């Protein structure tokens, strides 16, 4: 993957890299020089990337059984 540097020295991190590292708006990243001279991009904030599916976990409500959940989803 490659990207172009703007006149201000800015680059866009490719979506595949952002997705892999869980980089979202507001994430902090660090550029480090490896022993072989290459530059490594690493995420420095400790926020864990949460997938859209993980965000939905546990939202059925406490103490509801399957029948009650099905009734809620059907609008009964």
């Amino acid at each position: 993957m490659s990207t172009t540097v703007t006149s201000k020295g800015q680059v866009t991190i490719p979506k595949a890299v952002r997705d892999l590292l869980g980089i979202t708006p507001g994430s902090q990243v660090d550029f480090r020089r490896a022993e072989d001279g290459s530059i490594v991009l690493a995420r420095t904030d400790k926020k864990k990337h949460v997938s859209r599916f993980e965000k939905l976990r546990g939202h059925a409500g406490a103490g509801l059984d399957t029948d009650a959940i099905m009734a809620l989803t059907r609008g009964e």
Side-chain angles (χ1 to χ4, degrees), residues 21-37:
L21 295 177
I23 296 173
T24 57
S27 295
Q28 294 192 7
V29 296
D30 187 30
F31 296 91
R32 298 184 187 133
R33 187 171 183 179
E35 289 184 24
D36 65 357

Side-chain angles (χ1 to χ4, degrees), residues 58-65:
H59 287 276
L64 296 177
D65 62 9

Side-chain angles (χ1 to χ4, degrees), residues 15-68:
K15 183 170 179 1
V17 175
R18 293 192 316 262
D19 290 346
L20 178 69
L21 295 177
I23 296 173
T24 57
S27 295
Q28 294 192 7
V29 296
D30 187 30
F31 296 91
R32 298 184 187 133
R33 187 171 183 179
E35 289 184 24
D36 65 357
S38 63
I39 302 298
V40 176
L41 170 67
R43 186 166 174 193
T44 58
D45 57 357
K46 299 299 179 191
K47 289 183 184 176
K48 181 184 174 203
H49 174 65
V50 179
S51 77
R52 60 185 171 175
F53 301 108
E54 288 174 358
K55 290 178 185 177
L56 298 174
R57 264 192 169 169
H59 287 276
L64 296 177
D65 62 9
T66 304
D67 291 331

